[in-house]
Amino acid sequence: MFSNCADPSQLEGLSWLLCYLTSGKHMMFYTSFFVVIALMLIVAPVALLFGFGGALAARAHFAPLRWFGKGYTSMVRGVPDIIFFLFVPVAMDQALEYLRYKMVCPPSDAPVWSNNEFNVCAAAKLPLSSSPQIYHEVYGFFLAVIAFAIVFGAFAANVLYGAMNAVPRAQLETAEAYGMSTAQVRRRILIPQMWTYALPGLSNLWLILIKATPLLFLLGVPDIVYWARELGATKSQIYDYPHPDWRLWYFLALLVFYLGMTRISEIILGRLTARLAQGQATMAGEAMRKAQT
Amino acid sequence: MKKLILTGAVLAMTAGVAMAQDVVRMGTEGAYPPYNFINDKGEVDGFERELGDKLCEMASLNCTWVTNDWDSIIPNLLSGNYDTILAGMSITEERKQTIDFTQNYFPPAASAYVAQNEDVDLQGVIAAQVGTIQADYIAQSGATLLEFATLDDTIAAVKNGEADAVFADKDALTPFISDGSGLVIAGEDVPLGDGIGIGLRKSDTALKDKFNAGITTLKENGELNALITKWFGADAKTF
């Protein structure tokens, strides 16, 4: 990065450290922080959407839809995350490539699945072998978002399902007495009121999501934990910047990052909780009403 | 960001179907110096990078390098995420059942024990990288095998006393004993495997032929020996 970093073996002390911390590899390390934050910010709303769908399906009157909702939540919650992360992206990747194989490959007798191998013609590869590495990483990231959303969506569905059941029945009955239809009750009374019950569970999920991001590396996207381990490992003379095992320092930096993320999340979630409690028929809402009068 | 990713994904799906098809994605681990490692610029570097680039140039292939965890390096080759494995992978009968190898580009090399002192008990707790021929050897030798995901972790285990010694490729261990860390070679060297070859899918015979031809040429004109000496020092075994 700096011109005086050209020959690191001549450097000492602070300038060595400065050059070391701005090496190309470290820049990738810093970028991976943004990748992780982006992943969380994208997964959260998508997972919430999945969860919302799951919760509404589990409450549906139409039996098959209800079975689907319940099946989704119990299946995902019952299978270890790591198996899901190994299975969903691979299955999705192969399914997408198989679809493209049907569309673009010239007809051939060679089976797609044989001897553990998965073979489609080069034109059906996703992304194409010829596309730059960034596409492969974006594609891996995209698969990761889907896998995370499916897993966390199932947990969110259960939280939202519980929250919908927690809304006092009297509230819904009153709405019905005013002549509102089921859909209107759901939209005007049930959903606005359930958030206050859902928030503690959802905030737990958000914090678990923050800590689950190292699973990204399973999908080939280098994340902060991967880089910390790689950069901190003992570097022999073959590298420009040889150093002993520094993993402790790198992991300490990650500790600060994760604690910082947790603290920021707590502050935001605390404000959100207070806001949602306003006017609710709960103890927190009652306390707020009393404080105002 | 989301928009960017969506655009990226769409681009990736539509981009140049008719573009050059002979792009070969070279898979490696990137954590096994001097065979392969990620240098300070963040690129794949090492003996296998230089050799692979040379082979690609000779066969006029367009090669790109990707890194993958050692644990899943064979499954991801089989599912087509990349086309070759150049990761210090020894040719063994067990691996040959799932993937194919080219002829070896590195002679059967000695494996060695490295410990904190020379007279350590080699039947004690021995660290090795998971899924390596060295790990198999230790499991059969009667010593207690302690497996780790990367070579670095095995070295760390010896340094902090968790394991009595580490057993790995001698050439990969050498950098760790020369840097004044107090580690030494213990016991005798053990020759293992049939040398290191390029791993390929069994269906990829065309690519295998190209690389085999390239390796034969490099062996005959001595360039391969020069490369080995460059990366592994004058004492390294050559062809």
Side-chain angles (χ1 to χ4, degrees):
Chain A
M1 189 175 199
F2 303 111
S3 54
N4 61 346
C5 292
D7 187 6
S9 56
Q10 299 301 317
L11 298 168
E12 267 179 46
L14 207 61
S15 55
W16 184 90
L17 195 66
L18 198 65
C19 286
Y20 173 66
L21 289 177
T22 52
S23 69
K25 213 168 172 181
H26 274 84
M27 289 301 161
M28 290 171 146
F29 176 49
Y30 306 141
T31 321
S32 65
F33 280 92
F34 293 102
V35 173
V36 164
I37 292 173
L39 179 85
M40 292 188 299
L41 293 181
I42 293 170
V43 165
V46 180
L48 202 60
L49 206 69
F50 274 51
F52 213 81
L56 286 180
R59 277 174 64 90
H61 290 296
F62 181 55
L65 194 60
R66 193 166 63 237
W67 295 333
F68 171 76
K70 300 241 182 192
Y72 166 55
T73 50
S74 30
M75 200 176 79
V76 177
R77 292 194 314 147
V79 175
D81 286 0
I82 192 151
I83 292 182
F84 244 89
F85 281 101
L86 289 173
F87 172 76
V88 172
V90 173
M92 242 178 16
D93 183 39
Q94 296 201 350
L96 286 173
E97 286 189 0
Y98 186 71
L99 275 181
R100 278 171 58 92
Y101 162 81
K102 285 281 177 206
M103 287 188 300
V104 297
C105 282
S108 83
D109 296 331
V112 177
W113 284 276
S114 69
N115 290 322
N116 293 328
E117 289 181 21
F118 177 75
N119 277 316
V120 292
C121 65
K125 284 266 171 63
L126 251 185
L128 293 169
S129 295
S130 53
S131 31
Q133 180 59 17
I134 182 75
Y135 288 163
H136 289 269
E137 282 179 18
V138 168
Y139 181 68
F141 186 88
F142 166 75
L143 291 182
V145 167
I146 304 284
F148 271 104
I150 289 177
V151 171
F152 281 85
F155 289 99
N158 214 42
V159 168
L160 293 175
Y161 179 76
M164 284 178 185
N165 286 344
V167 175
R169 181 76 199 122
Q171 296 276 336
L172 307 181
E173 267 171 10
T174 314
E176 276 159 15
Y178 272 96
M180 292 187 203
S181 70
T182 323
Q184 282 173 326
V185 172
R186 190 190 304 137
R187 202 176 63 243
R188 293 179 181 168
I189 312 293
L190 180 68
I191 291 174
Q193 290 207 32
M194 70 158 193
W195 290 114
T196 187
Y197 302 103
L199 205 61
L202 291 181
S203 65
N204 267 349
L205 279 183
W206 167 253
L207 292 176
I208 294 172
L209 175 65
I210 292 179
K211 294 180 291 178
T213 47
L215 289 170
L216 259 183
F217 187 60
L218 284 180
L219 306 174
V221 184
D223 77 300
I224 50 178
V225 177
Y226 164 77
W227 280 119
R229 192 181 293 148
E230 166 65 35
L231 286 164
T234 314
K235 294 281 177 284
S236 56
Q237 298 299 328
I238 209 164
Y239 293 90
D240 291 343
Y241 301 90
H243 62 72
D245 193 343
W246 279 357
R247 282 181 295 184
L248 181 65
W249 304 110
Y250 283 92
F251 282 118
L252 275 178
L254 291 196
L255 180 79
V256 171
F257 170 74
Y258 280 123
L259 284 180
M261 289 299 293
T262 311
R263 186 78 199 108
I264 294 169
S265 309
E266 274 178 351
I267 293 171
I268 294 174
L269 288 167
R271 289 206 184 142
L272 210 59
T273 313
R275 209 186 134 90
L276 286 173
Q278 219 157 21
Q280 293 276 5
T282 58
M283 270 166 72
E286 183 64 12
M288 267 183 150
R289 192 184 63 79
K290 281 203 178 124
Q292 275 166 3
T293 52
Chain B
M1 188 72 203
K2 189 168 184 179
K3 201 166 184 184
L4 200 135
I5 283 159
L6 276 179
T7 341
V10 170
L11 270 176
M13 286 175 199
T14 51
V17 176
M19 267 165 69
Q21 302 285 302
D22 45 4
V23 172
V24 178
R25 287 167 60 78
M26 315 277 269
T28 189
E29 188 197 6
Y32 209 62
Y35 291 90
N36 59 75
F37 59 95
I38 298 176
N39 67 14
D40 291 281
K41 290 192 201 73
E43 298 157 349
V44 175
D45 201 345
F47 165 67
E48 281 161 340
R49 168 80 203 241
E50 207 175 330
L51 173 70
D53 282 349
K54 185 157 266 175
L55 289 173
C56 289
E57 195 192 311
M58 288 164 64
S60 11
L61 298 167
N62 186 0
C63 293
T64 53
W65 288 84
V66 280
T67 53
N68 195 91
D69 232 10
W70 174 257
D71 268 354
S72 58
I73 205 161
I74 291 182
N76 277 339
L77 172 77
L78 293 175
S79 68
N81 290 6
Y82 36 81
D83 308 304
T84 66
I85 298 176
L86 279 94
M89 188 178 270
S90 294
I91 306 168
T92 63
E93 283 307 315
E94 199 188 344
R95 287 184 185 134
K96 270 189 192 163
Q97 286 170 8
T98 39
I99 59 172
D100 242 356
F101 283 99
T102 60
Q103 59 171 307
N104 57 7
Y105 59 78
F106 196 82
S111 299
Y113 292 96
V114 160
Q116 284 182 333
N117 55 57
E118 282 170 18
D119 41 62
V120 73
D121 176 19
L122 296 179
Q123 292 295 308
V125 180
I126 309 294
Q129 189 177 8
V130 65
T132 56
I133 50 172
Q134 286 85 11
D136 288 345
Y137 176 82
I138 294 296
Q140 284 161 16
S141 74
T144 309
L145 171 64
L146 200 56
E147 287 182 304
F148 290 92
T150 64
L151 180 67
D152 287 316
D153 291 339
T154 60
I155 303 281
V158 174
K159 281 188 180 163
N160 66 23
E162 203 179 334
D164 296 330
V166 47
F167 188 56
D169 275 328
K170 194 175 183 182
D171 295 310
L173 287 173
T174 313
F176 290 100
I177 41 179
S178 55
D179 64 353
S181 59
L183 295 179
V184 289
I185 302 259
E188 295 292 308
D189 293 354
V190 187
L192 285 181
D194 299 328
I196 294 168
I198 305 179
L200 301 134
R201 282 184 296 274
K202 285 191 172 179
S203 52
D204 243 353
T205 47
L207 196 60
K208 183 181 162 187
D209 294 343
K210 280 183 193 166
F211 281 134
N212 262 335
I215 294 172
T216 308
T217 315
L218 288 181
K219 273 180 179 171
E220 279 166 3
N221 66 13
E223 278 187 65
L224 186 55
N225 284 345
L227 259 187
I228 292 174
T229 316
K230 176 189 167 191
W231 284 99
F232 296 92
D235 300 339
K237 219 165 151 186
T238 54
F239 286 103

